Amino acid sequence: MHFIVKVFPEIIIKSPPVRKRFIKQLRDNLRVLLNNLGVSIDVQRDWEKIEIRCPEADELITAQVSEVLAHTPGIANFALIQDYPLADLESIFRHTLRHWGDALAGKRFCVRVKRAGKHEFTSVQVEQYVGGGLLEHTRAAGVDLHHPEVTVPLEIKGERLWVITRKTQGLGGFPLGAQDPVLSLISGGFDSTVSTYLCIKRGLRAHYCFFNLGGRAHEIGVKEVAYYLWNKYGASHRVKFVTVPFEEVVREILEKVDNAYMGVTLKRMMLRAAEKVAESLEIPALVTGESVAQVSSQTLINLNAIDRAIDMLVLRPLATMDKGDIIDISRKIGTESFAASMPEYCGVISVNPTTKARMHKVEREEAKFDMAILERAIAERRAQNIDEIVEELDQDLAVPVVDVVQPGQALIDIRHPDEEEANPLRVSGVDILKIPFYRLNNQFAQLDTGKQYFLYCQKGVMSQLHAANLKDAGHTNVGVYRPEPRSACAI
């Protein structure tokens, strides 16, 4: 296995010291992420790319490496290559035919060559020779230099030939850790998850702050999607998940604050609390999923009034995005199903919310609020490393965890259908149901209440979260099937 990783173009155009630092950060991130695959993987860098080699890698390891590369910020694209000593044109053709011959059947194609170094032939000559040979010795439909159905890419570097067998688009952006950290105010919906992802993609190490307005199910759901985002896009760096109990704050607002100013006041209280949390973690900025005019509290005037509650920088990556675009990104990154099934709890609903908050009125309403309640909520916050969420749920809800399922019990494979299809669960003598995690809450209630069900995902993390959520909803016939040692779960 040999991958060539091309870094995001914005990194290349930076000054040499900054470029060197960013590429080194990306290399270090990849070393961390690839360290747990069970084989020795060599990761090296130069001024524009990273090379990843593992001679003993099988198809499964190659697929796992590709999955990591596809979800690591800082990568423009990556290619799986076959590396050969450079010889004559006939040798180049034979190597290319070995890897591309079957893929050209019935297709119109072209050959594209990138060449660096001094050779007896030009890039065009290689393209013509290899292209002619492929047309003659395969079942290709023909050559099309302008609109090919298949492009056969080759690179010649000095005395080496790279036959590129697969090229994949990366996330782009900057390597995680290349920028300062941020604290993301996450509710688990479309907006906050997408804004968090966009920050991670830009190299910002995103910690999570959740304001619990009441409801254990909502907290578990938010922890689940936060874990997913971290594990999928940011697992090279450990981050915190902070829960701030806000039930009393909401109660105080409902009892003391004028109806029209409830929403703005709540947001200002959240920013005050988040600023304190961020300062305690030495984080210089907050992130929210607010988009201009999406709801009444997000008019420009109201956002200005909200921001004036604190001195800290507030980033709003979605400020000018349409809701449809936000949902499209959510679908692309895998959080749409989480957001669509997220338990809702709306603690403050104004009948006639203001869209043009006046600061003297905001201050007048806040003067009625007992700030000791806010200080108490901040003091009672709970912070935990995001990869320790499962251990906390083990102690809190005591969901049964087994490595053997008994006759009469059943397994539920909650993985995404694509993952389940790629690596089917096989346990002899046991009924196995396939219910993806995003359908589990609705479908579990329809199952036999007298039967014990054990949830399964690859490493047990997402199944643990869902089992805890179901148990908290009153289902006592649920547990977790974990046949493997616990580690990060890539669901």
Side-chain angles (χ1 to χ4, degrees):
M1 179 197 74
H2 186 179
F3 280 100
I4 299 297
V5 178
K6 297 295 180 68
V7 302
F8 188 51
E10 283 188 41
I11 298 174
I12 298 299
I13 64 175
K14 291 189 176 296
S15 65
V18 174
R19 181 175 65 227
K20 180 179 180 181
R21 177 169 63 85
F22 277 33
I23 296 178
K24 180 179 181 297
Q25 181 70 66
L26 178 57
R27 180 205 63 185
D28 293 346
N29 292 352
L30 290 173
R31 285 178 174 175
V32 171
L33 294 169
L34 298 175
N35 188 48
N36 295 323
L37 296 185
V39 295
S40 177
I41 299 177
D42 183 52
V43 183
Q44 299 297 333
R45 66 179 174 90
D46 62 24
W47 75 278
E48 67 168 353
K49 69 180 184 300
I50 291 175
E51 294 192 47
I52 299 174
R53 292 185 176 88
C54 181
E56 65 269 29
D58 56 16
E59 290 186 7
L60 177 59
I61 294 296
T62 301
Q64 290 175 330
V65 172
S66 181
E67 179 75 7
V68 169
L69 297 177
H71 299 103
T72 300
I75 295 175
N77 58 72
F78 58 95
L80 180 63
I81 71 167
Q82 298 296 324
D83 189 351
Y84 298 102
L86 181 65
D88 56 13
L89 292 176
E90 178 65 18
S91 173
I92 296 174
F93 158 66
R94 291 296 172 186
H95 289 314
T96 307
L97 176 65
R98 182 180 304 115
H99 297 289
W100 281 95
D102 293 340
L104 300 182
K107 304 290 186 179
R108 301 185 67 82
F109 76 98
C110 73
V111 178
R112 294 288 184 241
V113 176
K114 291 184 179 180
R115 186 177 60 87
K118 294 184 178 181
H119 307 94
E120 296 180 353
F121 44 74
T122 66
S123 299
V124 173
Q125 288 174 327
V126 178
E127 292 173 350
Q128 292 172 339
Y129 190 95
V130 174
L134 292 175
L135 183 62
E136 180 180 354
H137 292 87
T138 69
R139 292 181 290 115
V143 173
D144 188 336
L145 300 181
H146 301 290
H147 303 288
E149 296 175 88
V150 178
T151 298
V152 179
L154 304 175
E155 292 194 19
I156 297 172
K157 304 285 186 179
E159 298 304 312
R160 307 300 299 181
L161 166 67
W162 291 351
V163 180
I164 299 173
T165 59
R166 185 173 72 240
K167 190 172 183 179
T168 307
Q169 192 71 23
L171 287 183
F174 293 148
L176 199 62
Q179 308 296 319
D180 291 320
V182 294
L183 182 67
S184 177
L185 280 59
I186 188 165
S187 65
F190 294 103
D191 301 339
S192 63
T193 53
V194 171
S195 64
T196 302
Y197 160 77
L198 292 176
C199 287
I200 294 173
K201 179 182 174 182
R202 200 61 181 170
L204 300 166
R205 181 182 178 187
H207 299 261
Y208 300 86
C209 184
F210 168 63
F211 294 97
N212 193 341
L213 305 182
R216 174 66 173 162
H218 190 187
E219 180 180 358
I220 292 175
V222 174
K223 284 182 175 179
E224 183 179 38
V225 71
Y227 178 88
Y228 172 88
L229 282 169
W230 169 79
N231 186 55
K232 192 82 168 179
Y233 302 104
S236 58
H237 290 70
R238 175 175 271 185
V239 300
K240 296 285 187 182
F241 186 96
V242 182
T243 301
V244 183
F246 242 50
E247 297 95 329
E248 288 190 53
V249 174
V250 170
R251 188 180 305 117
E252 182 76 358
I253 291 174
L254 289 172
E255 293 176 353
K256 303 285 185 64
V257 176
D258 180 83
N259 185 282
Y261 279 81
M262 285 181 177
V264 171
T265 302
L266 176 62
K267 292 292 184 68
R268 282 169 61 88
M269 296 300 173
M270 286 180 171
L271 287 193
R272 287 189 176 102
E275 183 180 46
K276 294 293 185 182
V277 172
E279 288 173 347
S280 70
L281 297 174
E282 298 183 349
I283 294 173
L286 307 178
V287 176
T288 78
E290 292 162 314
S291 177
V292 172
Q294 188 175 114
V295 295
S296 61
S297 65
Q298 295 174 16
T299 62
L300 290 180
I301 292 175
N302 284 0
L303 289 173
N304 178 55
I306 291 168
D307 280 1
R308 290 169 70 177
I310 63 172
D311 296 324
M312 185 170 285
L313 173 66
V314 180
L315 301 177
R316 293 184 172 90
L318 312 184
T320 60
M321 292 183 63
D322 296 332
K323 190 68 173 185
D325 296 333
I326 296 170
I327 294 175
D328 287 343
I329 296 176
S330 178
R331 184 178 302 118
K332 178 182 177 181
I333 67 176
T335 61
E336 180 190 27
S337 299
F338 291 97
S341 61
M342 186 65 59
E344 292 288 346
Y345 183 88
C346 188
V348 175
I349 302 177
S350 298
V351 178
N352 294 303
T354 181
T355 58
K356 296 183 177 181
R358 299 291 182 255
M359 277 310 301
H360 70 279
K361 291 184 178 181
V362 173
E363 293 167 353
R364 181 191 66 196
E365 294 304 317
E366 285 191 348
K368 306 173 185 177
F369 187 93
D370 183 0
M371 287 296 179
I373 294 176
L374 179 64
E375 294 299 327
R376 185 161 56 247
I378 296 171
E380 293 176 355
R381 69 185 183 274
R382 294 186 63 249
Q384 60 189 137
N385 294 322
I386 199 166
D387 53 333
E388 296 172 352
I389 286 176
V390 174
E391 282 74 9
E392 182 236 6
L393 289 173
D394 280 342
Q395 299 170 6
D396 188 13
L397 295 175
V399 177
V401 179
V402 302
D403 55 9
V404 176
V405 178
Q406 303 299 325
Q409 299 174 336
L411 287 173
I412 301 178
D413 191 336
I414 69 167
R415 293 175 296 170
H416 190 281
D418 291 344
E419 184 184 356
E420 184 278 324
E421 183 178 348
N423 187 22
L425 174 64
R426 295 184 175 91
V427 180
S428 60
V430 176
D431 292 335
I432 300 177
L433 307 179
K434 300 175 182 178
I435 306 178
F437 63 91
Y438 49 84
R439 296 178 182 163
L440 187 62
N441 287 340
N442 292 331
Q443 295 190 19
F444 192 86
Q446 303 172 18
L447 301 179
D448 184 358
T449 57
K451 193 169 188 175
Q452 186 75 18
Y453 297 92
F454 292 92
L455 310 186
Y456 171 80
C457 69
Q458 185 179 349
K459 298 295 182 182
V461 176
M462 303 297 270
S463 55
Q464 176 71 50
L465 288 165
H466 276 286
N469 195 16
L470 289 171
K471 184 173 181 180
D472 190 62
H475 300 288
T476 58
N477 59 329
V478 63
V480 172
Y481 174 59
R482 187 182 291 148
E484 308 172 55
R486 183 182 311 171
S487 64
C489 173
I491 191 169

